[in-house]
Amino acid sequence: MNAYAKYFVKKLFWYLVTLVIAVSLNFFLPRMIEGNPVAMIVSQMTKGMTDSDTIKRVYETFIQEFGVDKPLWQQFLIYVQNLFTGNLGTSFGLYPKKVTDILASAVPWTIGLQLPAILVGWILGNVLGAVAAYKKGVFDKVIFPVALFVNSIPFFTLAIIMLYVFALTLGWFPLSGGYDFQMIPQLSFEFIGSVIRHHTLPFLSIVLVTIGGQAIGMREMSIYELNADYVLYSKLLGIRDSRISRYVFRNAMLPQITGLALSIGTMVGGSLICEIVFSYPGIGTWLFTAIRQLDYPLISGCTLLIALSVLLANFTIDIIYGFIDPRIKASQMEDQ
Amino acid sequence: MKNSFNILIKSPKFMLGAGIFIVMLALVLIFPMINRKDPLEMIALAFQPPSSQLWLGSDNFGRDLFLELMYGIQTSIRVGLIAGVFATAIGLIIGLASGYIGGIVDNLLTSITNIFIVIPSFIILILISVSINSRSSLVTAIIIGITSWPWTARAVRAQTSSLRNRDHVHIAKISGHSTPRIIVFEILPYIASYVVMAFVLQTASGILSEASISMLGLGPYNTISLGIIMNWALVFEAPVAGAWWAFIPAALSIALITFSLYMMNTGMDEIFNPKIRS
């Protein structure tokens, strides 16, 4: 087995373990705590406290789908089995819609919003941070405190302020939703235009906050690298500045890639709340609705989906990282 | 200890951050003593703009937003600090154990830490909060604390395992000192600066987490926090009503508190790690 395959298998194993733990937490946490939502639903059912026939029917579906009357370990097996068949139960709030259907309709919006926003923010932030470290002086003195302040604004706060300024006061962008109400999703210029107009504000608010955090990290890494001995040595050798800055950038970049992997969970969480502010039709908004309606299957479906996608994103970054960083290959070679 | 404190005072970044933080803390602690009204009392019409009586106007229930804000900042800072204490303590214990003991304990604890770094703490926070029926602000703070320790644990472990092989630790071992004693006197002083910084960062992220979870409607009950003010503003559509005073002051307060904490952290960082001073 070559070095990279070994690295890949090792990572894959750990991510599988993490996956199992994430799924178990998603199942056990809400069921282990006293007064948990599942027990509440069951007890309301058995005590006949449910007043209307509809609620009764909703809960009966739930009990049947999740086998809540059986022992816990059996429930877990049913749960895992359901997962493999892509069945996350039936929503309470939107009965009798399937949770999977609701999530499937929301996923494209969330991915379309978050993936480009996080990537653009990450790239811009790194470039700004590197430039700030390299140019120093006024540029650094301005960028650094601004980035620090932007970074301390929570995602949704910036979103609310932008919503108020650009959508309400100035009226440049629409207030909420993913596209104009009266439109039917289709492939026309009008519809796409409407989607883009609704996309702009949430996109910008995620990008701005991401830039802040990344710029700070990159600036720190670049300063650290610029002070390294190899920079001084290369300068004394008379190597051109542009070439040295390329080395510095590459070295400073590596920790930033791991940084992206580690902070992606926080970013996704923040962006989800950003969606709520703009009532963007993604996962975050559904989660918000689900929590308000105590729609337990939908809440659990959302958390599971988010956990899985964060794991997947992390795994992808780790795999790419293995390609980029020669040290990983080297360390694997040593092991052999 | 006294020496590093003297250096800290000279750092403009640290002093700026500490200054903002202390002024805000003093304001929110003293103001409720002067204005002894109940922040939840409805005293005006809904969404009244700021005036000389209502400095920040009224919210959807006609409550005094300035007073609410004072109590909100208080709760948020308290939640952040408690969460910070829990997260730092758990991270410190796990990091020290795994770094100092090494071997199989280290492998096990490191794996657990790595797993919990990847699983978003945000999700665990939601799952626990959904399940607990009566959440006080203390419960929320503890939940935030026990979901955000992995970062600290990882960094503490890295530093401890390198310290473990230093000469002064070996000497202490040969001299027959007990393990707790070695950890307290030979290891802790070296990572103390890091632990303080981690605590400041954990506090800031605790405040942000509280705000996020409250925005989702899973915040503490029977209290006012900055996140809860924002949640009310959003649920009762303050932005659509044009009532900027219902959410912008709370939003800026969150940003200002976290900014001051980050500033303190950066100031400390530049002093304790001279390499990143520009």
Side-chain angles (χ1 to χ4, degrees), chain A residues 30 152 157 160 164 168 227 311, chain B residues 118 131 239 244 247 251 258 263 275:
Chain A
S152 37
T157 300
I160 291 194
Y164 181 72
L168 262 161
N227 291 334
L311 281 190
Chain B
V118 181
S131 314
W244 56 267
F247 52 90
T258 19
M263 237 10 196
K275 266 195 171 166

Side-chain angles (χ1 to χ4, degrees), chain A residues 24-140:
Chain A
S24 321
L25 281 180
N26 209 55
F27 174 83
F28 284 110
L29 272 184
R31 285 172 177 78
M32 300 295 273
I33 297 162
E34 207 147 328
N36 65 64
V38 181
M40 289 287 285
I41 293 161
V42 176
S43 77
Q44 281 196 357
M45 225 357 250
T46 46
K47 277 185 202 146
M49 267 166 62
T50 43
D51 29 352
S52 76
D53 274 358
T54 356
I55 296 180
K56 209 170 169 184
R57 213 171 55 232
V58 169
Y59 284 176
E60 262 165 9
T61 326
F62 178 76
I63 289 172
Q64 192 209 331
E65 272 173 343
F66 289 87
V68 188
D69 41 357
K70 298 190 178 74
L72 202 61
W73 62 270
Q74 225 168 341
Q75 286 182 43
F76 186 60
L77 289 184
I78 296 175
Y79 178 77
V80 173
Q81 195 189 347
N82 281 349
L83 277 188
F84 274 108
T85 51
N87 176 11
L88 291 170
T90 311
S91 158
F92 291 172
L94 286 163
Y95 190 82
K97 247 191 164 174
K98 289 272 169 215
V99 170
T100 6
D101 293 340
I102 299 175
L103 293 181
S105 72
V107 164
W109 294 102
T110 297
I111 293 182
L113 177 65
Q114 296 198 5
L115 196 65
I118 289 177
L119 280 180
V120 168
W122 184 70
I123 294 170
L124 283 181
N126 278 313
V127 171
L128 270 182
V131 172
Y134 196 73
K135 296 251 179 204
K136 292 177 189 155
V138 186
F139 194 67
D140 186 31

Side-chain angles (χ1 to χ4, degrees), chain A residues 14-15 17-18 21-22 25-27 29-31 33-37 40 136 140 144-145 148-154 156-157 160-161 163-165 168 175 219-220 223-224 227 258-259 262-263 265-266 268-270 272-273 276-277 284 287-288 291-292 294 296 299-300 302-304 306-307 310-311 314, chain B residues 13 107 111-112 114-133 151 154 208 210-218 227 230-231 233-235 238-245 247-248 250-252 254-260 262-264 266 269-270 274-278:
Chain A
W14 276 113
Y15 275 98
V17 172
T18 315
I21 291 180
L25 281 180
N26 209 55
F27 174 83
L29 272 184
R31 285 172 177 78
I33 297 162
E34 207 147 328
N36 65 64
M40 289 287 285
K136 292 177 189 155
D140 186 31
F144 180 67
L148 199 62
F149 187 70
V150 171
N151 188 40
S152 37
I153 304 177
F156 54 86
T157 300
I160 291 194
I161 294 172
L163 176 81
Y164 181 72
V165 174
L168 262 161
L175 256 181
R219 172 184 173 273
E220 229 158 75
I223 291 177
Y224 186 83
N227 291 334
T258 350
L262 294 177
S263 54
T266 326
V268 169
L272 288 173
I273 298 181
I276 302 173
V277 174
L287 186 60
F288 186 53
I291 288 173
R292 275 202 295 175
L294 289 176
Y296 181 71
I299 298 176
S300 146
C302 287
T303 52
L304 186 71
I306 298 162
V310 170
L311 281 190
N314 265 297
Chain B
K13 279 181 184 146
N107 284 337
S111 314
I112 296 177
N114 285 342
I115 287 172
F116 280 96
I117 281 183
V118 181
I119 299 175
S121 58
F122 178 71
I123 292 301
I124 303 181
L125 202 55
I126 292 178
L127 285 174
I128 302 181
S129 302
V130 164
S131 314
I132 297 181
N133 258 329
W151 289 99
R154 179 185 264 197
L208 290 182
E210 186 277 328
S212 315
I213 200 90
S214 302
M215 276 281 287
L216 276 173
L218 288 173
M230 305 268 289
N231 177 264
L234 216 61
V235 170
V240 183
W244 56 267
W245 53 88
F247 52 90
I248 296 218
L252 287 181
I254 299 176
L256 203 59
I257 300 171
T258 19
F259 176 68
S260 69
Y262 281 159
M263 237 10 196
M264 282 161 76
T266 317
D269 208 10
E270 282 179 5
K275 266 195 171 166
I276 60 159
R277 266 179 239 171
S278 50

Side-chain angles (χ1 to χ4, degrees), chain B residues 74-121:
Chain B
Q74 229 183 68
T75 314
S76 286
I77 291 181
R78 196 173 58 233
V79 168
L81 286 175
I82 298 173
V85 168
F86 271 84
T88 316
I90 299 173
L92 188 62
I93 292 168
I94 292 185
L96 280 175
S98 124
Y100 188 77
I101 301 171
I104 188 147
V105 177
D106 182 24
N107 284 337
L108 190 71
L109 288 178
T110 311
S111 314
I112 296 177
T113 310
N114 285 342
I115 287 172
F116 280 96
I117 281 183
V118 181
I119 299 175
S121 58

Side-chain angles (χ1 to χ4, degrees), chain B residues 194-252:
Chain B
Y194 177 78
V195 173
V196 173
M197 275 155 52
F199 171 68
V200 171
L201 278 189
Q202 294 281 18
T203 304
S205 81
I207 291 172
L208 290 182
S209 298
E210 186 277 328
S212 315
I213 200 90
S214 302
M215 276 281 287
L216 276 173
L218 288 173
Y221 290 133
N222 295 326
T223 181
I224 304 169
S225 77
L226 291 172
I228 292 177
I229 296 178
M230 305 268 289
N231 177 264
W232 284 332
L234 216 61
V235 170
F236 297 102
E237 304 199 314
V240 183
W244 56 267
W245 53 88
F247 52 90
I248 296 218
L252 287 181

